[in-house]
Amino acid sequence: MKGKGGHRGIGGDASKRRLAVRVKTARRRSSSSAQWLQRQLNDPYVAEAKDRGFRSRAAFKLLQLDEKFHLLRPHLRVVDLGAAPGGWSQVAAKKIGEKGKIIALDLLPLDPLNGVTFLQMDFMDDEAPEKLKQALGGQADLVLSDMAPSTTGHSGTDHLRIMDLAEHAVHFAMSVLAKDGVVVCKYFQGGAEKELLDSLKKSFAKVRHAKPAASRADSSESFIVAMGFRGQITPPDN
């Protein structure tokens, strides 16, 4: 994988030399937590993120989306929703440079990041859009969301919950985006996304969806990339 900024690819001899790790189910560790830990220990993106100082493996998802859609450029004003622990903000801050500006929002605390302004708040609060624009010094060029709610284990329920969160994220994005702005938002494939995609097509010039290689193969995770905001929210059909 070779990104727009020439970042070195995941894999290679160093990754090949890493041996698979098996995790036994300890007395106080459930089988599900043991499986999660084993997957983490054997995930090349987790290891590469640690090697490169990224706060999460999710950083590679944004790098791959940027490689495909050329999202991040110098001077942009960027918003990262649900930013903690900060992997996407790290990537964005480096790409937009010192003359760009990035605001990270989350309910959870976020350890300081160079070039990133953090607001600990709920983006769904009524006053959030105005507070965000004040901190940003205007409207956003790009809104990013890698958010997902806690899963229940029931696929149908989980799909509806993340689609509800995605709809709120997209609505927030359109309330702060400048004309021709872009929104990138995570969702889970499962059928309910069609309504959101159809709605976005009315307010954006182009709407695409993509599943980065860094998204886990067994996950229904995908990303909406809506480009060319028309400057107004188009109401849904009655």
Side-chain angles (χ1 to χ4, degrees):
M1 179 185 71
K2 185 178 180 182
K4 185 178 167 190
H7 59 279
R8 59 189 173 87
I10 185 79
D13 293 339
S15 296
K16 289 177 182 177
R17 287 197 297 267
R18 293 190 177 99
L19 300 177
V21 178
R22 290 187 178 276
V23 178
K24 293 182 179 179
T25 304
R27 181 178 297 178
R28 295 183 181 179
R29 182 185 295 138
S30 67
S31 59
S32 61
S33 64
Q35 290 171 2
W36 178 87
L37 181 57
Q38 181 168 319
R39 183 173 66 175
Q40 288 292 103
L41 292 172
N42 291 293
D43 186 332
Y45 286 105
V46 172
E48 186 76 358
K50 183 177 181 180
D51 289 347
R52 296 174 60 179
F54 289 140
R55 292 190 176 182
S56 71
R57 71 183 300 285
F60 294 103
K61 293 187 288 185
L62 182 55
L63 284 169
Q64 290 163 0
L65 288 167
D66 182 50
E67 182 178 20
K68 183 177 179 66
F69 296 106
H70 309 297
L71 304 166
L72 296 163
R73 305 183 305 279
H75 308 282
L76 289 185
R77 289 183 292 193
V78 179
V79 179
D80 184 9
L81 297 178
W88 276 35
S89 289
Q90 278 183 296
V91 171
K94 185 175 181 180
K95 292 273 188 174
I96 65 175
E98 294 181 358
K99 293 186 178 180
K101 190 158 189 178
I102 177 167
I103 306 294
L105 276 73
D106 207 309
L107 285 170
L108 299 173
L110 180 71
D111 290 337
L113 278 169
N114 288 335
V116 178
T117 300
F118 175 58
L119 299 179
Q120 188 169 358
M121 61 184 297
D122 186 346
F123 79 93
M124 287 190 273
D125 287 347
D126 290 342
E127 65 273 17
E130 191 58 37
K131 286 184 177 180
L132 181 281
K133 285 186 282 189
Q134 288 177 2
L136 199 59
Q139 293 173 296
D141 301 302
L142 172 64
V143 177
L144 305 170
S145 172
D146 188 33
M147 294 185 296
S150 299
T151 57
T152 66
H154 184 273
S155 59
T157 300
D158 290 339
H159 175 61
L160 292 175
R161 289 179 67 184
I162 195 170
M163 290 313 303
D164 181 66
L165 184 61
E167 288 172 3
H168 279 95
V170 165
H171 187 272
F172 175 86
M174 290 192 287
S175 71
V176 301
L177 274 176
K179 194 173 185 299
D180 296 322
V182 177
V183 60
V184 178
C185 184
K186 177 157 72 180
Y187 73 99
F188 287 169
Q189 298 173 12
E193 68 273 14
K194 184 179 185 301
E195 183 176 348
L196 178 59
L197 290 168
D198 288 345
S199 176
L200 283 168
K201 289 174 183 177
K202 298 174 183 178
S203 296
F204 289 82
K206 294 181 182 179
V207 179
R208 303 287 186 266
H209 54 89
K211 184 180 176 71
S215 291
R216 300 190 193 275
D218 59 352
S219 172
S220 61
E221 171 186 273
S222 190
F223 289 86
I224 295 167
V225 182
M227 299 167 282
F229 182 50
R230 294 193 171 103
Q232 61 183 5
I233 302 173
T234 304
D237 294 334
N238 294 325

